Amino acid sequence: MKEPHMVIPLMKQAADEPGTDEQGPLRCGAVWDDGAACAVEARRALHAFLAHVPCTGRTPVPAALAIDAELVVSELVTNAIRHAPGPCGMILRLSGDVLAITVWDTSSRQPVVMKRDGQRFGGHGMHVVHTVSSEVAVTPLGHGKQITAYLRPAPDGSPDAVTGAGPAA
């Protein structure tokens, strides 16, 4: 069995963009070799990123937003694994209170948002992504595409936040 290999170590990724202050964007990213991507590993990267946010002096990400982000990461990375040959990657970016999750892959095929169907097994992922995101953008690349989901906190201003505790996968 081929051992998974991530090109960029995740724990070294959660750092400020060069030249920004504590209110500037925070980002991290990971790239996986062909066949090495794993939704569990992507969720771990998300958890590490969200746990790092308060360490930079920023307000912690609300727990409800973190749960939605975990769903988005799981669905987008799983779709990349299932539907695109070759490497794929993920970029997490927090700017103000907006969390952008971008997953790129090598398939130029556009994702399809299928209507809910309780009788169908599978095929609900992009519906879930659109439901929990405030916006979803699909951008064609030279060889493949990238999908970016933008998540914003609920308007109720819930104080519940992610502090680094919680499940790792």
Side-chain angles (χ1 to χ4, degrees), residues 12 19 29 53 86 112 128-129 139 147 153 163:
K12 296 181 181 176
V53 169
V112 176
V128 170
V129 170
T139 307
I147 301 171
T163 59

Side-chain angles (χ1 to χ4, degrees), residues 47-48 50-52 54 63 66 70 161-168:
H47 294 164
L50 296 178
H52 181 72
E70 187 171 353
V162 175
T163 59

Side-chain angles (χ1 to χ4, degrees), residues 129-130 133-137 148-152:
V129 170
H130 280 265
S133 302
S134 59
E135 180 185 350
V136 177
T148 303
Y150 298 91
L151 288 84
R152 290 177 171 80

Side-chain angles (χ1 to χ4, degrees), residues 44-159:
R44 284 185 186 137
L46 173 67
H47 294 164
F49 179 73
L50 296 178
H52 181 72
V53 169
C55 300
T56 66
R58 293 170 177 82
T59 303
V61 171
L65 187 94
I67 291 167
D68 289 347
E70 187 171 353
L71 278 170
V72 169
V73 165
S74 292
E75 294 299 339
L76 293 182
V77 171
T78 297
N79 283 349
I81 293 166
R82 286 188 180 160
H83 303 293
C88 66
M90 177 177 76
I91 299 168
L92 305 171
R93 185 174 192 265
L94 182 65
S95 183
D97 65 350
V98 178
L99 177 62
I101 300 168
T102 300
V103 174
W104 60 264
D105 62 43
T106 59
S107 171
S108 58
R109 204 169 120 219
Q110 297 293 304
V112 176
V113 180
M114 299 171 73
K115 290 183 181 180
R116 288 179 50 183
D117 180 352
Q119 302 300 312
R120 183 182 65 239
F121 179 77
H124 300 277
M126 288 307 296
H127 178 76
V128 170
V129 170
H130 280 265
T131 299
V132 302
S133 302
S134 59
E135 180 185 350
V136 177
V138 180
T139 307
L141 302 174
H143 182 64
K145 67 180 169 306
Q146 73 179 24
I147 301 171
T148 303
Y150 298 91
L151 288 84
R152 290 177 171 80
D156 69 355
S158 172

Side-chain angles (χ1 to χ4, degrees), residues 5-14 27-33 37-38 41-46 77 87-92 102-104:
H5 173 65
M6 186 172 19
V7 177
I8 303 172
L10 288 174
M11 298 312 288
K12 296 181 181 176
Q13 294 303 307
R27 60 183 279 150
C28 78
V31 176
W32 293 279
D33 284 335
C38 170
E41 199 171 288
R43 287 190 304 269
R44 284 185 186 137
L46 173 67
V77 171
C88 66
M90 177 177 76
I91 299 168
L92 305 171
T102 300
V103 174
W104 60 264

